[in-house]
Coordinates of all heavy atoms in Angstrom, one line a residue:
Q1 N 65.7 34.8 -9.6 CA 64.8 34.9 -8.4 C 64.1 36.2 -8.4 O 62.9 36.2 -8.1 CB 65.7 34.8 -7.2 CG 66.3 33.4 -6.9 CD 67.3 33.4 -5.8 OE1 66.9 33.8 -4.7 NE2 68.4 32.8 -6.0
Y2 N 64.8 37.3 -8.7 CA 64.1 38.6 -8.7 C 63.0 38.7 -9.7 O 62.0 39.2 -9.5 CB 65.2 39.7 -9.0 CG 64.6 41.1 -9.2 CD1 64.0 41.8 -8.1 CD2 64.6 41.7 -10.4 CE1 63.5 43.0 -8.3 CE2 64.0 43.0 -10.6 CZ 63.5 43.6 -9.5 OH 63.0 44.9 -9.7
M3 N 63.2 38.1 -10.9 CA 62.2 38.1 -11.9 C 61.0 37.3 -11.5 O 59.8 37.7 -11.9 CB 62.7 37.5 -13.3 CG 63.8 38.3 -13.9 SD 63.3 40.0 -14.2 CE 62.2 39.8 -15.5
I4 N 61.1 36.3 -10.7 CA 60.0 35.5 -10.2 C 59.4 36.2 -9.0 O 58.1 36.3 -9.0 CB 60.5 34.1 -9.9 CG1 60.9 33.3 -11.1 CG2 59.3 33.3 -9.2 CD1 61.6 32.0 -10.8
V5 N 60.2 36.6 -8.1 CA 59.6 37.2 -6.8 C 59.1 38.6 -7.1 O 58.1 39.0 -6.6 CB 60.7 37.3 -5.8 CG1 60.3 38.0 -4.5 CG2 61.1 35.8 -5.4
G6 N 59.8 39.4 -7.9 CA 59.4 40.8 -8.2 C 59.9 41.7 -7.1 O 60.8 41.3 -6.3
G7 N 59.4 42.9 -7.1 CA 59.9 43.9 -6.2 C 58.9 44.4 -5.1 O 59.2 45.4 -4.4
M8 N 57.8 43.7 -4.9 CA 56.9 44.1 -3.9 C 57.6 43.7 -2.5 O 57.9 42.5 -2.3 CB 55.6 43.4 -4.0 CG 54.8 43.8 -5.2 SD 53.2 42.8 -5.2 CE 52.5 43.4 -6.7
P9 N 57.8 44.7 -1.6 CA 58.5 44.4 -0.4 C 57.9 43.2 0.4 O 58.7 42.4 0.9 CB 58.4 45.7 0.4 CG 58.3 46.8 -0.7 CD 57.5 46.1 -1.8
Q10 N 56.6 43.1 0.5 CA 56.1 42.0 1.3 C 56.4 40.7 0.6 O 56.6 39.7 1.3 CB 54.6 42.2 1.5 CG 53.9 41.2 2.4 CD 52.4 41.5 2.6 OE1 51.8 42.3 1.9 NE2 51.8 40.7 3.5
A11 N 56.3 40.6 -0.7 CA 56.7 39.4 -1.4 C 58.1 39.1 -1.2 O 58.5 37.9 -1.0 CB 56.3 39.5 -2.9
V12 N 59.0 40.1 -1.3 CA 60.4 39.8 -1.1 C 60.7 39.3 0.3 O 61.4 38.3 0.5 CB 61.3 41.1 -1.4 CG1 62.7 40.9 -1.0 CG2 61.1 41.5 -2.9
E13 N 60.1 39.9 1.3 CA 60.2 39.5 2.7 C 59.7 38.0 2.8 O 60.4 37.2 3.5 CB 59.4 40.4 3.6 CG 59.5 40.0 5.1 CD 58.7 40.8 6.0 OE1 57.5 41.1 5.6 OE2 59.2 41.2 7.1
T14 N 58.6 37.7 2.2 CA 58.1 36.3 2.3 C 59.1 35.4 1.7 O 59.4 34.3 2.3 CB 56.8 36.2 1.6 OG1 55.8 37.1 2.3 CG2 56.2 34.8 1.6
Y15 N 59.7 35.7 0.5 CA 60.7 34.9 -0.1 C 61.9 34.7 0.7 O 62.4 33.6 0.9 CB 61.0 35.4 -1.5 CG 62.0 34.5 -2.2 CD1 61.6 33.2 -2.6 CD2 63.3 34.9 -2.3 CE1 62.5 32.4 -3.2 CE2 64.3 34.0 -2.9 CZ 63.9 32.8 -3.4 OH 64.8 31.9 -4.0
I16 N 62.4 35.8 1.3 CA 63.6 35.7 2.2 C 63.3 34.8 3.4 O 64.2 33.9 3.7 CB 64.0 37.1 2.7 CG1 64.6 37.9 1.5 CG2 65.0 37.0 3.8 CD1 64.8 39.4 1.8
N17 N 62.2 34.9 4.0 CA 61.8 34.1 5.1 C 61.5 32.6 4.8 O 61.7 31.7 5.7 CB 60.7 34.7 5.9 CG 61.1 36.0 6.5 OD1 62.3 36.3 6.8 ND2 60.1 36.9 6.7
T18 N 61.0 32.3 3.6 CA 60.5 31.0 3.4 C 61.3 30.3 2.2 O 61.2 29.1 2.1 CB 59.0 31.0 3.0 OG1 58.9 31.7 1.7 CG2 58.2 31.7 4.0
K19 N 61.9 31.0 1.4 CA 62.5 30.5 0.1 C 61.5 29.7 -0.7 O 61.9 28.9 -1.5 CB 63.7 29.6 0.4 CG 64.9 30.4 1.1 CD 65.5 31.4 0.2 CE 66.7 32.0 0.7 NZ 66.6 33.4 1.1
S20 N 60.2 30.1 -0.6 CA 59.2 29.4 -1.3 C 58.5 30.3 -2.3 O 57.9 31.3 -1.9 CB 58.1 28.9 -0.3 OG 56.9 28.5 -0.9
F21 N 58.7 29.9 -3.6 CA 58.0 30.7 -4.6 C 56.5 30.6 -4.5 O 55.8 31.5 -4.8 CB 58.5 30.2 -6.0 CG 59.9 30.6 -6.3 CD1 60.8 29.5 -6.6 CD2 60.4 31.9 -6.3 CE1 62.2 29.8 -6.9 CE2 61.7 32.2 -6.6 CZ 62.6 31.2 -6.9
E22 N 56.0 29.5 -4.0 CA 54.6 29.3 -3.9 C 54.0 30.2 -2.9 O 53.0 30.9 -3.1 CB 54.3 27.8 -3.5 CG 52.8 27.5 -3.4 CD 52.6 26.0 -3.1 OE1 53.5 25.2 -3.3 OE2 51.5 25.8 -2.5
Q23 N 54.6 30.3 -1.7 CA 54.1 31.2 -0.7 C 54.3 32.7 -1.1 O 53.4 33.5 -0.8 CB 54.8 31.0 0.6 CG 54.4 29.7 1.3 CD 55.1 29.5 2.6 OE1 55.4 30.4 3.4 NE2 55.4 28.2 3.0
T24 N 55.4 33.0 -1.8 CA 55.6 34.3 -2.3 C 54.5 34.7 -3.4 O 54.0 35.8 -3.3 CB 57.0 34.4 -2.9 OG1 58.0 34.1 -1.9 CG2 57.3 35.8 -3.5
D25 N 54.2 33.7 -4.2 CA 53.2 34.0 -5.2 C 51.8 34.2 -4.6 O 51.1 35.1 -5.0 CB 53.1 32.8 -6.2 CG 52.2 33.1 -7.4 OD1 52.4 34.1 -8.1 OD2 51.2 32.3 -7.6
R26 N 51.5 33.5 -3.5 CA 50.3 33.8 -2.8 C 50.2 35.2 -2.2 O 49.2 35.8 -2.3 CB 50.2 32.8 -1.6 CG 48.9 32.0 -1.6 CD 48.8 31.0 -0.4 NE 49.4 29.8 -0.8 CZ 50.3 29.1 -0.1 NH1 50.6 29.5 1.1 NH2 50.8 28.0 -0.5
I27 N 51.3 35.7 -1.7 CA 51.4 37.1 -1.2 C 51.1 38.1 -2.4 O 50.3 39.0 -2.2 CB 52.7 37.4 -0.5 CG1 52.9 36.5 0.7 CG2 52.9 38.9 -0.3 CD1 51.9 36.8 1.8
K28 N 51.8 37.8 -3.5 CA 51.6 38.7 -4.7 C 50.1 38.7 -5.1 O 49.6 39.8 -5.4 CB 52.5 38.4 -5.8 CG 54.0 38.6 -5.5 CD 54.9 38.5 -6.7 CE 54.9 37.1 -7.3 NZ 55.9 37.0 -8.3
R29 N 49.5 37.5 -5.2 CA 48.1 37.4 -5.6 C 47.2 38.2 -4.6 O 46.2 38.8 -5.0 CB 47.7 36.0 -5.7 CG 48.3 35.3 -6.9 CD 48.0 33.9 -7.1 NE 48.7 33.2 -8.1 CZ 48.5 33.2 -9.4 NH1 47.5 33.9 -9.8 NH2 49.2 32.6 -10.2
D30 N 47.5 38.1 -3.3 CA 46.7 38.8 -2.3 C 46.8 40.3 -2.5 O 45.8 41.0 -2.4 CB 47.2 38.4 -0.9 CG 46.9 37.0 -0.4 OD1 46.0 36.3 -1.1 OD2 47.4 36.5 0.6
I31 N 48.0 40.8 -2.8 CA 48.2 42.2 -3.0 C 47.4 42.6 -4.2 O 46.7 43.7 -4.2 CB 49.7 42.6 -3.1 CG1 50.4 42.4 -1.8 CG2 49.9 44.0 -3.6 CD1 51.9 42.4 -1.9
L32 N 47.5 41.9 -5.3 CA 46.7 42.2 -6.5 C 45.2 42.2 -6.3 O 44.5 43.0 -6.8 CB 47.1 41.3 -7.7 CG 48.6 41.5 -8.2 CD1 48.9 40.4 -9.2 CD2 48.7 42.9 -8.8
N33 N 44.8 41.2 -5.5 CA 43.4 41.2 -5.1 C 42.9 42.4 -4.3 O 41.8 42.8 -4.5 CB 43.0 39.9 -4.4 CG 43.0 38.7 -5.4 OD1 42.7 38.8 -6.6 ND2 43.3 37.5 -4.9
L34 N 43.8 42.9 -3.5 CA 43.5 44.1 -2.7 C 43.3 45.3 -3.7 O 42.4 46.1 -3.6 CB 44.5 44.4 -1.7 CG 44.5 43.6 -0.4 CD1 45.7 43.9 0.4 CD2 43.2 43.8 0.4
Y35 N 44.2 45.4 -4.7 CA 44.1 46.4 -5.8 C 42.8 46.3 -6.5 O 42.1 47.3 -6.7 CB 45.2 46.3 -6.8 CG 46.6 46.6 -6.3 CD1 47.7 46.3 -7.0 CD2 46.8 47.3 -5.1 CE1 49.0 46.6 -6.6 CE2 48.1 47.6 -4.6 CZ 49.2 47.3 -5.4 OH 50.4 47.6 -5.0
R36 N 42.4 45.0 -6.9 CA 41.1 44.8 -7.6 C 40.0 45.2 -6.7 O 39.0 45.8 -7.2 CB 41.0 43.4 -8.0 CG 41.9 43.0 -9.2 CD 41.7 41.6 -9.6 NE 42.7 41.2 -10.5 CZ 43.8 40.5 -10.2 NH1 44.0 40.1 -8.9 NH2 44.7 40.2 -11.1
S37 N 40.0 44.9 -5.4 CA 39.0 45.3 -4.5 C 38.8 46.8 -4.4 O 37.7 47.3 -4.4 CB 39.3 44.7 -3.1 OG 38.3 45.1 -2.2
D38 N 39.9 47.5 -4.4 CA 39.9 49.0 -4.4 C 39.3 49.5 -5.6 O 38.4 50.4 -5.6 CB 41.3 49.6 -4.3 CG 41.6 50.1 -2.9 OD1 40.8 49.9 -2.0 OD2 42.7 50.6 -2.7
I39 N 39.6 48.9 -6.8 CA 39.1 49.3 -8.1 C 37.6 49.1 -8.1 O 36.8 50.0 -8.5 CB 39.8 48.5 -9.2 CG1 41.2 49.0 -9.4 CG2 39.0 48.7 -10.5 CD1 42.0 48.1 -10.3
R40 N 37.1 48.0 -7.6 CA 35.7 47.7 -7.6 C 34.9 48.6 -6.7 O 33.8 49.1 -7.0 CB 35.4 46.2 -7.2 CG 35.7 45.2 -8.3 CD 35.3 43.8 -7.8 NE 35.9 42.8 -8.6 CZ 37.0 42.2 -8.3 NH1 37.7 42.4 -7.2 NH2 37.6 41.3 -9.2
K41 N 35.6 49.0 -5.6 CA 34.9 49.8 -4.6 C 34.6 51.2 -5.2 O 33.6 51.8 -4.9 CB 35.8 50.0 -3.4 CG 35.1 50.4 -2.2 CD 36.0 50.5 -1.0 CE 37.0 49.4 -0.8 NZ 38.0 49.6 0.3
Y42 N 35.5 51.7 -6.1 CA 35.4 53.1 -6.5 C 35.0 53.3 -8.0 O 34.9 54.4 -8.4 CB 36.7 53.9 -6.2 CG 37.0 53.8 -4.7 CD1 38.0 53.1 -4.2 CD2 36.1 54.5 -3.8 CE1 38.3 53.1 -2.8 CE2 36.4 54.4 -2.4 CZ 37.4 53.7 -2.0 OH 37.7 53.7 -0.6
A43 N 34.9 52.2 -8.7 CA 34.6 52.3 -10.2 C 33.1 52.0 -10.3 O 32.7 51.1 -11.1 CB 35.4 51.3 -10.9
K44 N 32.3 52.8 -9.7 CA 30.9 52.5 -9.7 C 30.3 52.4 -11.1 O 30.5 53.3 -11.9 CB 30.2 53.7 -8.9 CG 30.7 54.0 -7.5 CD 30.0 53.1 -6.6 CE 30.3 53.5 -5.1 NZ 31.2 52.7 -4.4
G45 N 29.6 51.3 -11.3 CA 29.0 51.1 -12.6 C 29.8 50.5 -13.7 O 29.3 50.0 -14.7
V46 N 31.1 50.6 -13.6 CA 32.0 50.1 -14.6 C 33.1 49.2 -14.0 O 34.2 49.0 -14.5 CB 32.7 51.2 -15.4 CG1 31.7 51.9 -16.3 CG2 33.4 52.2 -14.5
E47 N 32.8 48.5 -12.9 CA 33.7 47.7 -12.1 C 34.4 46.7 -13.0 O 35.6 46.6 -13.0 CB 33.1 47.0 -10.9 CG 32.5 48.0 -9.9 CD 31.1 48.3 -10.1 OE1 30.6 48.2 -11.3 OE2 30.4 48.8 -9.2
S48 N 33.6 45.9 -13.7 CA 34.2 44.8 -14.5 C 35.1 45.3 -15.6 O 36.2 44.7 -15.8 CB 33.1 43.8 -15.0 OG 32.3 44.5 -15.9

């Protein structure tokens, strides 16, 4: 379960509350998309 859920606190909380790997995966993807958004915002000219 830990290997699938990972250690991101928000993902762990979602898993505890829902026992759904699908909902937990959605949370992890949202977090990673926020990281990508930050990267794009500050990597002027070399975003991709």
Side-chain angles (χ1 to χ4, degrees):
Q1 290 173 50
Y2 174 70
M3 294 303 291
I4 294 168
V5 172
M8 294 177 181
Q10 188 179 5
V12 173
E13 180 183 42
T14 299
Y15 181 70
I16 289 168
N17 292 332
T18 67
K19 295 295 188 249
S20 166
F21 291 121
E22 184 179 335
Q23 288 181 34
T24 302
D25 189 56
R26 232 179 277 133
I27 293 297
K28 291 190 297 186
R29 288 178 191 280
D30 289 347
I31 293 168
L32 291 173
N33 284 332
L34 285 173
Y35 291 165
R36 287 183 191 96
S37 177
D38 259 2
I39 289 168
R40 282 186 198 95
K41 201 182 314 176
Y42 302 111
K44 305 274 190 255
V46 290
E47 297 91 339
S48 61

